[in-house]
Amino acid sequence: MTLKNTALKRLTQAGAIAAIAALTLSACSGRGGGSDAGNVTNDAASDVEQVLTEDDCMDYQASPGITDDEIKLGSTFPGSGPLASIGEANSGMMAYFDYLNETEGGIDGRKVTLVPRDDQYDATKAVANVDELLQKEGVFAIAGVQSSVGATSVWDDLLDQCIPLLMSTVSGSPLDERLAHPNTIDGLIPYAAEAYALGQYAADEWKSKKVAVIAQSGIFGESFLRGIDTIAEEKGMDIVASETYQVTDPTVTAQVTNLKASDADTLIVVAAGTKCPQIFDAVEAAGWDPHIATTFTCSNTTLMGLASPSAVDGVVSDTWLQLREEGDAESDAYFAAVKKFDPNLNAGSENVATGWAQGEVIAEILKQAPALTRLDVINSALNLKDVEIPMAADGVLLNTSADDTTAMETVQMTTFDSDSMSWSFNDDENSLVDLNGVLEKTDK
C-alpha cells in the first residue's frame, strides 16, 4: 500500500523532484512497531478538543510504536555536511528523553525512544528516512525534522495518515499552509515572525533607517524577507540592498562587498551553519561596521566561536529559551544530563538547548493526550494553553489551537559577548517581543 506523495511537488523548487519521484511513504507504517499497544490511556491526561477525527484519516493506525513500556519516535536531521550544526538539536532532544526516562521513568511508565536518521539537509534523504522510520522502525510519530524543505516534503503524506509531525522545522511556511497541516507543530519561531522581531528591534532600539540583508537562498531566506519587508514598511525603514548565497558557495565576499556599497546602517544576517562565521568575518574584513542582527540559526556559540571575536562582539539575535547558568535548577539538570548521556556534545550550543526544549514540549503534548493514539496526540498538540516549559525564557508561554499552530510566539533579544563567548538578555524596553498575529501580516 502506498500514499500519493503530493508533497513531492514542493521539491521541484529544490531541484530534487526527479531524484525522488519513485519514493513514497507507505501507509503500512505500523509494521515492525508493536502496533498491539494494549491500554494506551494516559493517567494524567486532560480533555482536548477533537480537531481531527478518524474520518479525516486515510488507512489510519492508532498506536504503532506504542508498547507497554515504550513510545518510539523517529527523527531526520543534518548530522553531517555544512549544516551539521543544526543537527545538534537532535542530540539535545535525545539527551532530554534520556533524562526524562531516567528521572521520571518516561511517560506513564513508557520510556521515550528517539530513532535518529541523518539526512545531510537533503530533502531526498529526509523523505527516504521518514519512509524507513515508518515502515521498518514502526515509529509512532515523527519529531525534530530539522529542515524546512525536509519537513514540508513529508507533511502532506503524514497528514493523510494522521501521523503527528512534532517540533519540526516548517518555519518558512506561510500561515495558510500551516493551518492546512494541523498534524504539524513547528519547533522554532517562524522565520517571517523572527525577521519581524529583529527588524522591530533595529528600528526601535538602533533607529535604523537603511537596512541590508544577506540570506541563504530558498525557503529559509524567502520567508525571512517577507517578515523584513513587513516591519520595514511599518517602521519606515528602507531595504537598500539584499544578497543571497548558496550553501555550497565557497565564499560570501562578493555579496558582502555589494552590501557595503549600499551604505546601510544595519545588516541582517539570515544564515545557518558555517556560513555564519564566514559572513561575520567578511563584514569585518571589508572594513564595514554596521549594526548586525542575526537569526537564531547563527546564534550557536559553536559557530560564533569560529569567527573573529571582534567580528561578532555585540551581534544581536533572539531566543525563546532561557540562558543556561550554573545554579539554576533547569540549567544544572541540563548540563548534567548532556555530560552524562552525550559527553562529546557542546552543552553551550543554542542548538543543543533548543533540542532539549523541543523534547520538553513533545513530552508535554504526550502527557496531556487522553490516550497515546496518533489522533489524540495531534489534538493534544493543538490544545496547548499557557504551557510553560522549564527551558523557556521568562514570559514565553506556549499556546496552540486549530487556528494557530505556532506554539512559540514570544522572543527575548540577546547580545553576544566575545570575551565570555556567551549571550546575555538585553535589558532595554524593546527586548521582549510579542509576535502573536505577525504571520497574518506577512502573508498579505
Side-chain angles (χ1 to χ4, degrees), residues 21-338:
L23 287 175
T24 57
L25 299 181
S26 172
C28 303
S29 55
R31 290 185 296 177
S35 57
D36 183 13
N39 182 13
V40 295
T41 302
N42 263 339
D43 292 339
S46 59
D47 293 331
V48 298
E49 178 186 356
Q50 296 301 296
V51 178
L52 287 185
T53 68
E54 192 165 339
D55 289 341
D56 299 308
C57 311
M58 183 172 68
D59 298 314
Y60 178 61
Q61 297 185 41
S63 302
I66 304 294
T67 65
D68 289 340
D69 55 10
E70 183 182 41
I71 302 170
K72 184 186 279 190
L73 308 176
S75 64
T76 179
F77 60 94
S80 57
L83 296 178
S85 62
I86 296 174
E88 288 182 336
N90 188 82
S91 299
M93 186 182 292
M94 294 186 75
Y96 172 73
F97 288 141
D98 286 338
Y99 167 79
L100 179 70
N101 292 338
E102 180 178 75
T103 59
E104 298 184 25
I107 296 172
D108 281 349
R110 292 180 170 94
K111 293 190 176 181
V112 181
T113 300
L114 184 63
V115 182
R117 290 290 185 271
D118 180 9
D119 59 34
Q120 298 180 317
Y121 207 82
D122 182 325
T124 304
K125 294 177 181 177
V127 172
N129 286 348
V130 170
D131 187 45
E132 180 179 320
L133 288 165
L134 292 170
Q135 292 189 68
K136 296 182 179 179
E137 296 292 342
V139 300
F140 173 68
I142 302 298
V145 179
Q146 302 291 343
S147 73
S148 293
V149 70
T152 55
S153 294
V154 298
W155 68 348
D156 284 339
D157 291 335
L158 298 182
L159 175 61
D160 283 344
Q161 293 184 51
C162 294
I163 298 173
L165 180 59
L166 304 175
M167 289 290 104
S168 293
T169 303
V170 293
S171 310
S173 301
L175 180 61
D176 59 344
E177 292 184 13
R178 291 163 175 270
L179 296 182
H181 296 85
N183 66 317
T184 303
I185 299 298
D186 199 351
L188 300 175
I189 301 292
Y191 296 142
E194 183 185 11
Y196 189 95
L198 295 181
Q200 178 173 298
Y201 187 84
D204 293 346
E205 190 64 26
W206 295 335
K207 311 303 179 186
S208 300
K209 295 297 182 184
K210 300 170 68 176
V211 177
V213 181
I214 182 168
Q216 180 177 308
S217 62
I219 296 173
F220 181 22
E222 291 165 4
S223 59
F224 211 93
L225 289 171
R226 291 201 307 269
I228 289 291
D229 288 342
T230 301
I231 189 63
E233 183 177 353
E234 289 184 14
K235 294 292 186 178
M237 296 185 295
D238 289 329
I239 309 298
V240 294
S242 178
E243 292 282 337
T244 63
Y245 69 87
Q246 299 288 338
V247 172
T248 54
D249 287 349
T251 74
V252 291
T253 302
Q255 291 94 325
V256 169
T257 299
N258 292 337
L259 294 173
K260 178 187 176 183
S262 71
D263 198 31
D265 54 59
T266 298
L267 173 65
I268 296 181
V269 177
V270 186
T274 54
K275 278 294 181 292
C276 298
Q278 283 186 28
I279 292 170
F280 298 137
D281 284 345
V283 170
E284 182 178 60
W288 188 22
D289 189 29
H291 291 293
I292 299 179
T294 189
T295 50
F296 152 79
T297 49
C298 275
S299 66
N300 188 340
T301 52
T302 302
L303 295 174
M304 300 297 282
L306 296 177
S308 164
S310 55
V312 293
D313 193 52
V315 168
V316 165
S317 190
D318 65 283
T319 185
W320 61 281
L321 308 178
Q322 65 161 278
L323 300 180
R324 278 73 62 202
E325 299 176 347
E326 291 185 4
D328 167 74
E330 174 70 4
S331 299
D332 289 346
Y334 165 75
F335 285 124
V338 171

Side-chain angles (χ1 to χ4, degrees), residues 354-437:
T354 295
W356 177 282
Q358 290 172 339
E360 290 181 331
V361 178
I362 291 171
E364 186 67 26
I365 290 169
L366 294 172
K367 288 175 182 178
Q368 83 163 23
L372 290 175
T373 67
R374 285 168 166 172
L375 276 173
D376 274 353
V377 167
I378 290 172
N379 289 321
S380 171
L382 295 174
N383 281 269
L384 300 177
K385 307 299 181 189
D386 290 335
V387 172
E388 183 176 6
I389 62 168
M391 187 58 84
D394 290 344
V396 176
L397 300 176
L398 278 58
N399 286 278
T400 57
S401 69
D403 299 320
D404 186 356
T405 60
T406 302
M408 294 82 68
E409 293 184 286
T410 305
V411 294
Q412 172 74 53
M413 306 306 295
T414 60
T415 299
F416 189 73
D417 176 62
S418 59
D419 289 336
S420 63
M421 288 298 296
S422 64
W423 295 90
S424 61
F425 286 144
N426 297 358
D427 58 5
D428 52 74
E429 63 180 1
N430 301 306
S431 63
L432 192 66
V433 183
D434 181 5
L435 299 172
N436 186 40

